[in-house]
């Protein structure tokens, strides 16, 4: 269904000033006193230096936000990440470091010959870690999709030290969405590019530090997977994990390595080398977490684009893989700044040309052997309409089941899914939360109950929801949802929203007297 008259969200992708000292917020309603800790958020907060501006939303300089909640009161502070990219750009007041969709042009002060040569340098990976807050060995880091992360003090938001994955293991990058076991062991994925072409690598980071200075010491590559096409590996933003498996989703968004390597020479951003190939199957690779063995059976489905998984768990010899998928992978190119700053018909058109993401379940049979019959649906779970057919000795073709009813179409699908992660990740679960998309950015908060696939809705322009369980929780949805809500039509109308996760009613909000741009991911860091 086509939408008309979308309101402009240009104010949400404008540069803002940092607020390094905590400021008070005005609380309306009640914020439960059992919530003790900080909602930490990350995202772009500066989109230009001097007269040069970034082209893509993902390119803005990382801004870290903290909503500190104590005794029903909330303070807010924010700081720019003191990355090398930020410092170099600030010193020269121009874009010095290339980002995902923006190429740093040669310095006009260099002579012509040096300017010419500088086009032949490889684009150096940026350390602008603007995607999320993550934890390794109990420490807080901010990360993006390159080989660099920064350790950050979650109390003051001060930038501590830069960490380079390549110094610890043979990977050239790591995702901003690791998975953590209850004991603190962390899994992630990263590509490596060598003489033999690209490899997808599953990474394992131990849970404990041997000394306070440690960062990624002890990290190891659990296994490497060869891409279907070594010159054009898949782009991935995250991966799934069940109790015994890491699931890598090799999707139909591809990276043309030649185009990426020559991007600077051609004056193009890296984003130009990422494209959608609807002729490629999506392939699920299962890796045993304990042995590092990759299953010889590959699970295929049609071309899909996937940014975020909801959950994955094993039951009765099946692996349930739940994720938000779209039938088209062009979305990454929609988020150029000029689209986000459009208004009127041009904005409506940008939105109506996009594909939506919807929550879907794939059911992967775990015990496929040479004797498993072909041509029979292997999914014997009576309540599930997903199918899995063995079509060759090591190939199973899967068709998903929708994890939603008709009503979700009206809210524009669902992205940024969240669950009660600490208790239900890798386990059978009933509820998930996310943002509905009746705009280029999320414009509602949704809760889906898998029993009956019903949806509950709150209409705001929310950032990524974060679930915080209540201290004496018995049921899965005992707790609150925290989300930062921004309103483009009014100045300084930003607030931290607290919803009762069970009833979906607003408990309270903390209004912040400064502007905050729309961001990416957040996490709750409880007070020790």
């Amino acid at each position: 269904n086509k939408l008309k008259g979308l309101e402009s969200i240009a104010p949400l992708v404008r540069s803002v000033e940092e607020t390094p000292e905590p400021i008070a917020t005005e609380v309306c309603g009640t914020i439960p006193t059992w919530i003790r800790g900080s909602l930490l958020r990350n995202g772009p907060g500066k989109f230009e230096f001097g007269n040069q501006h970034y082209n893509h939303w993902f390119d803005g300089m990382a801004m870290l936000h903290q909503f500190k909640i104590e005794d029903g009161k909330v303070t807010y502070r924010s700081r720019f990440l003191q990355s090398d990219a930020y410092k170099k750009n600030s010193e020269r007041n121009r874009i010095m470091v290339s980002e995902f969709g923006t190429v740093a042009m040669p310095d006009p002060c260099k002579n012509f010959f040096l300017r010419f040569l500088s086009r032949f340098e490889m684009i150096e990976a940026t350390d602008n870690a603007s995607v999320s807050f993550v934890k390794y060995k109990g420490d807080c880091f901010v990360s993006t999709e390159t080989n660099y992360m920064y350790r950050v003090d979650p109390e003051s938001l001060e930038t501590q030290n830069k960490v380079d994955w390549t110094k610890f293991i043979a990977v050239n990058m790591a995702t901003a969405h690791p998975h953590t076991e209850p004991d603190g062991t962390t899994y992630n994925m990263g590509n490596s590019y060598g003489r033999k072409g690209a490899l997808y690598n599953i990474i394992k980071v131990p849970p404990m530090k041997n000394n306070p200075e440690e960062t990624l010491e002890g990290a190891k590559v659990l296994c490497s997977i060869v891409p279907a096409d070594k010159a054009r590996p898949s782009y991935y933003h995250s991966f799934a994990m069940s109790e015994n498996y890491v699931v890598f989703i090799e999707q139909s968004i591809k990276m043309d390595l030649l185009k990426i390597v020559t991007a600077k020479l051609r004056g193009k951003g890296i984003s130009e080398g990422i494209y959608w190939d609807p002729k490629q199957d999506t392939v699920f690779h299962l890796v045993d977490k304990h042995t590092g063995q990759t299953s010889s059976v590959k699970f295929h489905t049609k071309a899909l684009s996937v940014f975020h998984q909801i959950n994955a768990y094993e039951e009765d010899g099946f692996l349930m893989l739940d994720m938000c998928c779209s039938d088209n992978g062009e979305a990454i190119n929609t988020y150029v700044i000029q689209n986000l700053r459009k208004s009127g018909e041009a904005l409506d058109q940008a939105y109506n040309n996009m594909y939506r993401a919807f929550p879907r379940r794939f059911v992967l049979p775990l015990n496929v052997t040479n004797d498993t019959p072909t041509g029979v649906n292997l999914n014997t779970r009576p309540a599930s309409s997903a199918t899995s057919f063995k079509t060759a000795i090591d190939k199973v073709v899967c068709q998903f089941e929708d994890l939603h009813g008709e009503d979700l179409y009206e809210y524009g699908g669902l992205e940024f899914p969240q669950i009660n992660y600490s208790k239900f990740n890798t386990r059978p679960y009933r509820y998930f939360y996310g943002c509905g998309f009746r705009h280029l950015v999320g414009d509602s908060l949704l809760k889906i109950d898998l029993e009956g696939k019903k949806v509950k809705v709150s209409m705001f322009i929310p950032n990524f929801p974060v679930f915080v369980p209540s201290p004496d929780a018995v049921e899965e949805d005992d707790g609150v949802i925290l989300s930062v809500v921004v309103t483009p039509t009014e100045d300084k109308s930003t607030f931290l929203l607290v919803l009762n996760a069970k009833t979906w009613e607003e408990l309270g909000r903390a209004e912040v007297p400064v502007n905050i741009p729309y961001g990416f991911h957040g996490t709750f860091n409880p007070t020790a």
Side-chain angles (χ1 to χ4, degrees):
N1 47 0
K2 299 259 184 270
L3 291 186
K4 274 202 175 114
L6 291 176
E7 75 174 317
S8 166
I9 51 166
L12 308 186
V13 286
R14 294 255 160 84
S15 300
V16 296
E17 298 294 313
E18 59 181 4
T19 311
E21 293 307 314
I23 54 172
T25 64
E26 191 171 323
V27 173
C28 309
T30 311
I31 293 177
T33 49
W34 59 259
I35 308 175
R36 296 178 60 81
S38 297
L39 177 67
L40 302 172
R41 295 200 42 79
N42 195 351
K46 185 171 174 64
F47 296 96
E48 65 287 303
F49 285 93
N51 58 6
Q52 299 183 338
H53 62 85
Y54 291 114
N55 299 326
H56 200 287
W57 186 29
F58 300 172
D59 297 349
M61 292 289 101
M63 190 174 209
L64 316 180
H65 309 265
Q66 175 203 63
F67 294 83
K68 190 167 190 181
I69 309 169
E70 217 169 39
D71 302 326
K73 295 188 175 55
V74 180
T75 58
Y76 169 76
R77 65 162 39 152
S78 65
R79 283 182 195 268
F80 281 110
L81 178 70
Q82 296 299 308
S83 62
D84 292 341
Y86 179 79
K87 288 185 197 155
K88 282 178 191 165
N89 296 340
S90 301
E91 261 163 42
R92 304 295 293 275
N93 201 27
R94 58 192 298 273
I95 294 173
M96 299 289 293
V97 179
S98 294
E99 298 290 340
F100 177 72
T102 308
V103 188
M105 292 322 270
D107 189 337
C109 305
K110 283 183 180 171
N111 70 30
F112 172 77
F113 182 63
L114 287 173
R115 277 212 303 270
F116 178 72
L117 279 184
S118 73
R119 285 202 172 264
F120 288 90
E121 297 161 11
M122 279 283 290
I123 291 184
E124 202 213 335
T126 179
D127 62 347
N128 174 35
S130 64
V131 178
S132 66
F133 269 91
V134 296
K135 279 202 167 166
Y136 292 100
K137 302 184 185 180
D139 283 346
C140 257
F141 293 84
V142 286
S143 87
T144 177
E145 300 190 340
T146 68
N147 52 311
Y148 296 119
M149 296 193 298
Y150 274 91
R151 185 154 45 177
V152 171
D153 180 343
E155 279 304 305
S156 66
L157 294 187
E158 279 171 6
T159 305
Q160 291 176 327
N161 51 319
K162 178 168 166 173
V163 179
D164 180 352
W165 279 97
T166 62
K167 299 275 188 286
F168 298 93
I169 46 175
V171 296
N172 294 72
M173 51 76 72
T175 81
H177 288 292
H179 276 291
T180 307
E181 305 266 61
D183 73 347
T185 302
T186 309
Y187 291 86
N188 205 338
M189 285 200 58
N191 281 5
S192 56
Y193 307 107
R195 285 194 301 276
K196 296 180 180 162
L199 291 172
Y200 309 120
N201 302 289
I202 316 278
I203 306 163
K204 184 176 183 178
V205 182
M208 306 296 279
K209 289 196 285 191
N210 295 317
N211 66 60
E213 295 310 302
E214 250 189 41
T215 54
L216 298 173
E217 279 81 357
K220 63 174 197 254
V221 171
L222 191 64
C223 92
S224 299
I225 297 167
V226 180
D229 177 345
K230 286 186 172 185
R232 293 182 182 84
S234 283
Y235 167 79
Y236 53 92
H237 182 73
S238 60
F239 62 98
M241 182 175 89
S242 68
E243 189 182 355
N244 296 297
Y245 296 95
V246 166
V247 185
F248 168 52
I249 297 128
E250 188 170 22
Q251 63 177 341
S252 314
I253 301 177
K254 298 290 178 183
M255 301 193 296
D256 185 323
L257 297 184
L258 185 65
K259 272 194 175 166
I260 289 170
V261 167
T262 59
K264 190 168 181 185
L265 182 62
R266 295 178 297 113
K268 301 284 191 193
I270 291 169
S271 55
E272 295 270 329
I274 296 184
Y275 67 100
W276 166 245
D277 183 354
K279 297 188 294 297
Q280 289 283 337
D281 275 4
T282 301
V283 181
F284 306 129
H285 300 265
L286 267 55
V287 177
D288 186 310
K289 287 197 309 207
H290 314 293
T291 65
Q293 284 297 108
T294 308
S295 165
S296 61
V297 177
K298 304 297 175 200
F299 299 88
H300 288 242
T301 191
K302 64 175 190 166
L304 292 173
S305 108
V306 182
F307 283 94
H308 301 107
Q309 286 76 41
I310 307 165
N311 200 357
Y313 65 91
E314 298 154 45
E315 198 172 62
D316 306 331
F318 295 97
L319 193 152
M320 268 45 75
L321 176 60
D322 297 352
M323 53 196 190
C324 294
C325 323
S326 161
D327 294 324
N328 180 293
E330 307 279 0
I332 209 160
N333 299 320
T334 306
Y335 289 100
V336 291
I337 299 275
Q338 71 208 42
N339 271 353
L340 295 173
R341 289 185 178 164
K342 280 176 179 168
S343 59
E345 280 180 21
L347 176 63
D348 295 350
Q349 192 181 346
Y351 173 82
N352 288 320
N353 287 340
M354 279 174 67
Y355 278 73
R356 315 269 152 260
F358 288 93
R360 296 169 174 174
R361 170 169 294 175
F362 291 88
V363 177
L364 315 183
L366 290 172
N367 309 317
V368 177
T369 64
N370 292 352
D371 302 332
T372 303
T374 54
V376 181
N377 179 12
L378 302 176
N379 178 17
T380 51
R381 293 169 72 84
S384 167
S385 59
T387 61
S388 305
F389 286 91
K390 179 178 158 184
T391 59
I393 198 152
D394 52 8
K395 181 176 176 181
V396 174
V397 174
C398 303
Q399 174 68 27
F400 60 81
E401 154 191 13
D402 288 324
L403 293 184
H404 63 89
E406 290 293 311
D407 47 4
L408 192 59
Y409 293 109
E410 168 186 344
Y411 300 111
L414 181 144
E415 247 296 354
F416 294 138
Q418 274 280 297
I419 58 168
N420 179 346
Y421 189 94
S422 58
K423 298 252 177 29
F424 288 88
N425 190 48
T426 76
R427 298 199 177 99
Y429 71 113
R430 180 172 167 183
Y431 303 105
F432 61 96
Y433 316 95
C435 296
F437 275 76
R438 283 173 56 90
H439 208 307
L440 290 178
V441 295
D443 73 332
S444 59
L445 282 170
L446 307 177
K447 173 186 182 178
I448 290 191
D449 180 348
L450 288 172
E451 285 186 17
K453 301 182 183 176
K454 294 185 201 55
V455 66
K456 285 184 175 174
V457 186
S458 288
M459 300 307 286
F460 294 105
I461 292 202
N463 281 276
F464 182 86
V466 174
F467 178 84
V468 183
S470 56
D472 42 10
V474 178
E475 291 180 40
E476 182 183 335
D477 58 351
D478 274 349
V480 295
I481 290 288
L482 303 180
S483 179
V484 180
V485 173
V486 284
T487 314
T489 42
E490 298 161 49
D491 198 41
K492 301 187 177 52
S493 55
T494 306
F495 55 90
L496 172 70
L497 173 71
V498 185
L499 283 182
N500 178 328
K502 192 180 269 300
T503 63
W504 219 237
E505 286 159 359
E506 178 176 334
L507 295 173
R509 56 174 73 178
E511 293 173 356
V512 181
V514 295
N515 288 330
I516 299 178
Y518 192 87
F520 298 137
H521 295 290
T523 186
F524 184 72
N525 192 45
T527 305

